[in-house]
Amino acid sequence: MQRLNMLNQQSSDVFKNYLASQSETNQVSLDQVLGYMSGLLACSEFFGESELANYIADNDETVFNTLMTDSEPRDAMIELLDNITEAQVEQKKILAELYPNEVNSNEPSQALQDFCSGYIAAYIVNQDIWHSDLQFLLNADSQQENESEDGQLFIDNFEATLDLLTTFAMWDQARANHPEPEKLGEGFVTFFNALDESLSEIATMALMLEDEKLAMLEQDQ
């Protein structure tokens, strides 16, 4: 599947080959890693590369050490992380960049399913932080003079986005459980575009929340 210019091609190839060289049964794909990166960065707090290395290594100490010390795979991982960071800062539609062929489909490719499962895994890791951030948005609503509902609207969209990520990640199961599975396929492109838009909005909100937290920290000092 064609990828556009968002990712460094050499780093993509190096890291994809490294992941493929691991023989563990729980080996992750490059697309799962990209999804995980996107999910980590779409949170207002990112603690460093160790969370990413943990996800990839899956308790394999050798893999973890390779990704946490100077090595070609680590350099490739950091380059890809920087690529995703830049795309989110520029508010790019990441899915359209990574999976352009999906707009002519009626179901997610395995690569897109992997991306969505990786994103969900990152959300689970940062679930407590997200819970705190969403509560912060609700509190901000209540402190507005005319009680804004912007925070609640974002939360509603965030929850709908998680549902859509799950639908894409578990597409076969979603079709099996849907009362009219053919309509799920017919609406795929609409769902794809809506998910891409929502992921961009979530990443933008994370950056805003990060700035807000830093400003509050400076005020307390």
Side-chain angles (χ1 to χ4, degrees):
M1 179 171 291
Q2 176 193 9
R3 298 183 192 276
L4 300 187
N5 296 325
M6 194 182 88
L7 300 179
N8 179 286
Q9 188 60 54
Q10 181 178 356
S11 295
S12 296
D13 292 342
V14 167
F15 208 64
K16 184 176 181 179
N17 290 336
Y18 175 71
L19 294 173
S21 72
Q22 307 309 309
S23 59
E24 297 297 324
T25 56
N26 291 329
Q27 168 187 314
V28 295
S29 70
L30 176 62
D31 293 283
Q32 285 174 304
V33 173
L34 295 175
Y36 194 82
M37 288 177 174
S38 299
L40 283 183
L41 292 168
C43 182
S44 64
E45 295 182 31
F46 177 54
F47 299 104
E49 291 82 26
S50 60
E51 285 81 8
L52 185 53
N54 267 321
Y55 172 69
I56 297 166
D58 190 34
N59 297 320
D60 186 318
E61 189 174 344
T62 301
V63 174
F64 181 81
N65 289 338
T66 297
L67 297 175
M68 291 302 293
T69 54
D70 287 340
S71 65
E72 188 176 36
R74 174 178 169 77
D75 289 344
M77 181 183 77
I78 298 303
E79 177 69 30
L80 294 177
L81 189 61
D82 289 344
N83 292 161
I84 297 290
T85 301
E86 181 178 353
Q88 291 186 340
V89 169
E90 294 177 356
Q91 299 183 356
K92 288 185 178 180
K93 303 298 187 290
I94 289 181
L95 298 186
E97 290 277 346
L98 292 176
Y99 311 108
N101 297 331
E102 304 288 330
V103 297
N104 299 315
S105 181
N106 60 1
E107 62 181 3
S109 63
Q110 186 59 55
L112 177 56
Q113 291 182 54
D114 285 352
F115 177 96
C116 292
S117 68
Y119 194 106
I120 292 168
Y123 164 72
I124 291 171
V125 167
N126 286 328
Q127 197 166 6
D128 289 344
I129 298 169
W130 267 116
H131 179 77
S132 175
D133 284 347
L134 297 181
Q135 188 60 51
F136 175 85
L137 292 175
L138 286 178
N139 292 340
D141 276 357
S142 65
Q143 291 170 12
Q144 296 293 324
E145 209 168 288
N146 296 317
E147 288 213 17
S148 166
E149 294 185 356
D150 290 346
Q152 184 61 59
L153 288 172
F154 176 83
I155 292 170
D156 293 344
N157 180 66
F158 183 80
E159 292 174 346
T161 301
L162 290 177
D163 288 342
L164 198 49
L165 283 164
T166 302
T167 297
F168 277 24
M170 305 177 68
W171 185 256
D172 289 343
Q173 184 175 330
R175 278 183 54 83
N177 293 334
H178 199 282
E180 297 180 277
E182 66 281 357
K183 288 192 175 180
L184 198 59
E186 290 169 4
F188 170 72
V189 172
T190 300
F191 298 144
F192 175 85
N193 290 329
L195 178 59
D196 210 4
E197 180 71 32
S198 293
L199 293 183
S200 177
E201 291 175 0
I202 289 170
T204 300
M205 178 62 78
L207 293 171
M208 292 172 61
L209 287 169
E210 184 179 353
D211 289 342
E212 189 69 28
K213 288 180 179 181
L214 288 173
M216 291 171 64
L217 186 62
E218 290 174 357
Q219 288 177 2
D220 292 341
Q221 290 178 348

